[in-house]
Amino acid sequence: EEQLVESGGGLVQPGGSLKLSCAASGFTFSAYWMHWVRQIPGKGLVWVARINTDGSIISYPDSVKGRFTISRDNAKNTLFLQMNSLRAEDTAVYYCVREILTSQGFWGQGTLVTVSS
Amino acid sequence: QSVLTQSPSASGTPGQSVTISCSGRSSNIGSHTVSWYQQLPGTAPKLLIYSDNQRPSGVPDRFSGSKSGTSASLAISGLQSEDEADYYCAAWEDSLIGPAFGGGTKLTVL
């Protein structure tokens, strides 16, 4: 069974840092582009970062560029999101996603990040 | 503001058909394929349609997608109570160098 399991969410103060992890199983993790997408509870979906199969191609929207870093460890089937200089507006559920725009689109259950003092 | 525009809500009665629309521009829908996701309450989004009109295995043929120019649509026929969910369109956005989503349409089955 294919699975994406996020972890690392929690409460952090403004200006703080947090590192999310996503453990993949049930499929060949190294063969797929991976993404992080966030959703403020009750609101829509917003793409946060993407990374290609070997980590050589990475991109972010301007809202997180310079603050967030996506990475992957194909040997450990794990995707990461390092989040620095966190702001209240970064509060959301963060989803680990395989291939958003192809037939292989598949989402984890998400992990909640709350930025508050 | 979402890059792709969806009506915030739609509704229908069991057995009816409903269409959800998604409007974009030449930099997204006009030149790239569209995917649709269904998000049931309290769960993660699930892929319904990819490449404008293709269904992954396991998705009922009651769900169909189409595209014309810079707009796309998701049609649901034979509406069922379990179809009550939020529906999101998605497409590549050239200026973002990444995928963009619609704001979502909340479907209510009356």
Side-chain angles (χ1 to χ4, degrees), chain B residues 31-84:
Chain B
S31 50
H32 302 287
T33 61
V34 177
S35 295
W36 288 91
Y37 282 89
Q38 176 194 58
Q39 186 174 31
L40 297 170
T43 70
K46 171 195 164 188
L47 181 64
L48 270 187
I49 298 288
Y50 66 96
S51 295
D52 299 336
N53 55 19
Q54 301 299 302
R55 280 186 310 276
S57 59
V59 173
D61 60 7
R62 301 187 296 104
F63 295 90
S64 62
S66 63
K67 188 177 84 173
S68 178
T70 58
S71 293
S73 296
L74 173 71
I76 310 172
S77 61
L79 209 56
Q80 300 179 4
S81 58
E82 54 261 41
D83 297 334
E84 191 160 284

Side-chain angles (χ1 to χ4, degrees), chain A residues 37 39 43-45 47 50 59 61 95 99-103 105 107-109, chain B residues 33 35 37 39 43-45 47 50 88 90-92 96-99 101 103:
Chain A
V37 174
Q39 182 175 36
K43 302 295 184 182
L45 303 168
W47 170 72
R50 69 171 183 142
S59 58
Y95 293 101
E99 304 248 343
I100 293 174
L101 298 174
T102 74
S103 63
W107 298 54
Q109 287 306 302
Chain B
T33 61
S35 295
Y37 282 89
Q39 186 174 31
T43 70
L47 181 64
Y50 66 96
Y88 294 90
W92 184 265
L96 203 52
I97 316 180
F101 292 93

